């Protein structure tokens, strides 16, 4: 399941990237890159990488990016499973059906 989130986050970040990032390039990260890296690091239980990604953008921007990634992931999983986004979200969180 987390593999899907990582792939979705990577696709979102790649889609929003306007120029390829060269090795060692010091270009600022956008909020979706930060969110994808932060969520991936959190899912892989890597607090150092999560902290690094959290430092790329403001806390508000990171929160927005993580929220957007969560919404897109739930919608993608709902479509894939043929279920409602609410049912998928509740299932992911281990909540009983509504």
């Amino acid at each position: 399941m987390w593999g899907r989130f990582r792939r979705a986050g990577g696709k979102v970040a790649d889609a929003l990237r306007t120029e390829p990032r060269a090795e060692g390039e010091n270009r600022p990260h956008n909020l979706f890159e930060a969110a994808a890296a932060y969520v991936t690091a959190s899912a892989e239980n890597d607090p150092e990488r999560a902290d690094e990604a959290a430092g790329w953008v403001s806390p508000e921007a990171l929160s927005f990016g993580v929220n957007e990634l969560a919404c897109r992931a739930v919608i993608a999983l709902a479509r894939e499973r043929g279920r409602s986004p609410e049912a998928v979200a509740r299932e992911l969180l281990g909540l009983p059906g509504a």
Side-chain angles (χ1 to χ4, degrees), residues 10-19 27 30-33 72:
K11 288 179 184 177
V12 169
D14 287 343
L16 295 171
R17 187 171 291 130
T18 56
E19 300 174 15
R27 163 182 88 71
N30 72 40
L31 67 100
F32 294 114
E33 287 176 315
R72 292 179 187 200

Side-chain angles (χ1 to χ4, degrees), residues 52-84:
E52 178 187 350
W56 293 348
V57 295
S58 72
E60 295 83 10
L62 182 62
S63 177
F64 175 81
V66 169
N67 182 61
E68 185 66 22
L69 177 58
C71 290
R72 292 179 187 200
V74 167
I75 289 168
L77 284 172
R79 286 180 182 155
E80 183 179 292
R81 296 177 182 182
R83 300 185 65 200
S84 73

Side-chain angles (χ1 to χ4, degrees), residues 16-56:
L16 295 171
R17 187 171 291 130
T18 56
E19 300 174 15
R21 192 171 354 157
E23 190 67 31
E25 183 180 337
N26 211 8
R27 163 182 88 71
H29 299 276
N30 72 40
L31 67 100
F32 294 114
E33 287 176 315
Y38 180 81
V39 169
T40 301
S42 296
E44 294 175 345
N45 198 24
D46 186 346
E48 290 176 9
R49 215 172 66 194
D51 288 344
E52 178 187 350
W56 293 348

